[in-house]
C-alpha cells in the first residue's frame, strides 16, 4: 500500500501564510473633504476726515462801527441737515415787542422771526431756526422762522428789520451778520447803518460747529469768531 509522503511542518506553515495573501486586496477609505470656510468679509474702508483749511484773521475794521444796545445776534450754530440756528439776545432790561419784525436771509428771503411769538424777554436769548425744520416746536426760548432762509455752514447772511419795515432804510435794520464772504444781500443797508463793513464776511471753512461774538452788541465781522 502506497502512502503520501508527509510534508514537514515548516512547509505547511508557509503554504498557509501564502493562502492568506491570496485574499481580496484591501481598499483605502476615501477621506471626507474638509468643509469650506466662509471667506472673510472685505474690511470697511475708514473715511478720511475732511481737511479744514485755516481760517484767516481779518484786519481791523476801517472807521468806527456803531454798537447795538437793544437787540443783537450773538451766535450762529450749524446743526445737522442745514438746521442753522441763530441766537438773538435782548441786551436791554425791558421786553421787546417784535410783532411784524422781519428776518431777511439768503437771496432776499423774508419772513417774521417767529411763527407765533411776538415778545423777546428782557436780558434773554432766543434761538431761531432760520431754516425751519419740520420738527421745529416753538417755546419762549426757541423759535421757528416763518420762512426758511436757505443759509448754510459755508455761506449765509441774516438781517433783522424792525417795524415799520423798510428794507432799504438804515433806520429800520436792527442787526446784520454774514459769513463765507462779503457782499451778500442787505450788507449795503448794514453799512449805511454803521453796523458792518462793506465786502467783509466772517471767515469760515465749513468745519466750524458754530460762530459767536466776542462782545455782545459790538458790530462788524471782526467781532465774530
Amino acid at each position: 500500500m502506497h502512502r503520501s509522503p508527509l510534508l514537514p511542518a515548516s512547509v505547511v506553515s508557509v503554504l498557509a501564510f501564502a493562502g492568506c495573501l491570496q485574499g481580496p486586496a484591501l481598499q483605502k477609505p476615501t477621506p471626507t473633504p474638509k468643509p469650506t470656510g466662509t471667506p472673510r468679509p472685505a474690511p470697511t474702508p475708514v473715511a478720511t476726515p475732511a481737511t479744514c483749511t485755516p481760517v484767516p484773521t481779518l484786519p481791523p475794521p476801517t472807521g468806527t462801527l456803531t454798537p447795538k444796545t437793544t437787540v443783537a445776534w450773538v451766535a450762529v450754530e450749524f446743526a445737522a441737515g442745514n438746521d442753522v440756528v441763530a441766537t438773538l439776545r435782548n441786551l436791554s432790561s425791558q421786553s421787546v415787542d417784535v410783532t411784524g419784525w422781519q428776518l431777511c436771509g439768503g437771496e432776499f428771503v423774508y419772513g417774521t422771526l417767529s411763527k407765533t411769538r411776538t415778545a423777546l424777554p428782557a436780558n434773554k436769548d432766543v434761538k431761531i431756526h432760520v431754516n425751519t425744520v419740520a420738527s421745529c416746536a416753538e417755546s419762549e426760548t426757541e423759535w421757528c422762522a416763518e420762512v426758511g432762509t436757505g443759509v448754510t455752514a459755508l455761506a449765509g447772511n441774516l438781517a433783522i428789520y424792525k417795524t415799520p419795515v423798510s428794507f432799504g432804510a438804515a433806520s429800520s435794520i436792527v442787526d446784520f451778520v454774514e459769513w463765507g464772504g462779503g457782499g451778500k444781500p442787505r450788507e449795503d443797508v448794514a453799512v449805511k447803518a454803521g453796523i458792518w463793513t462793506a465786502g467783509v464776511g466772517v471767515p469760515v471753512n465749513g468745519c466750524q460747529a458754530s460762530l459767536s461774538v466776542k462782545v455782545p452788541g459790538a458790530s462788524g465781522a471782526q467781532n465774530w469768531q
Side-chain angles (χ1 to χ4, degrees):
M1 182 175 185
H2 180 73
R3 293 181 178 180
S4 299
L6 296 175
L7 297 174
S10 61
V11 176
V12 174
S13 182
V14 170
L15 292 175
F17 181 74
C20 292
L21 293 178
Q22 293 174 358
L26 298 175
Q27 298 293 326
K28 291 184 177 181
T30 304
T32 303
K34 294 181 179 180
T36 305
T38 304
R40 291 184 177 181
T44 303
V46 179
T48 303
T51 301
C52 299
T53 57
V55 177
T57 301
L58 292 175
T62 56
T64 302
L65 296 176
T66 304
K68 285 84 61 173
T69 58
T70 305
V71 173
W73 296 121
V74 293
V76 180
E77 301 171 59
F78 306 116
N82 280 338
D83 179 18
V84 180
V85 185
T87 301
L88 186 64
R89 178 172 296 177
N90 184 349
L91 302 170
S92 73
S93 57
Q94 295 182 342
S95 177
V96 175
D97 183 2
V98 295
T99 303
W101 286 30
Q102 292 285 302
L103 172 68
C104 173
E107 292 299 318
F108 301 102
V109 179
Y110 303 99
T112 56
L113 302 178
S114 166
K115 293 180 179 180
T116 62
R117 299 278 170 167
T118 57
L120 186 59
N123 300 310
K124 296 292 184 180
D125 288 352
V126 60
K127 292 180 177 293
I128 304 176
H129 294 263
V130 298
N131 292 337
T132 306
V133 293
S135 59
C136 186
E138 292 200 316
S139 66
E140 185 177 356
T141 58
E142 193 160 356
W143 296 1
C144 308
E146 180 185 19
V147 180
T149 61
V151 299
T152 70
L154 292 174
N157 51 296
L158 297 170
I160 303 172
Y161 285 87
K162 64 183 179 180
T163 53
V165 176
S166 176
F167 294 113
S171 58
S172 185
I173 194 168
V174 175
D175 202 1
F176 175 85
V177 60
E178 65 180 340
W179 60 94
K184 293 179 173 58
R186 299 308 176 191
E187 178 200 82
D188 58 330
V189 185
V191 172
K192 286 192 296 183
I195 58 174
W196 204 259
T197 302
V200 182
V202 182
V204 293
N205 58 12
C207 298
Q208 294 111 313
S210 63
L211 301 172
S212 60
V213 297
K214 301 171 185 176
V215 180
S219 295
Q222 290 82 356
N223 188 46
W224 288 80
Q225 58 188 357

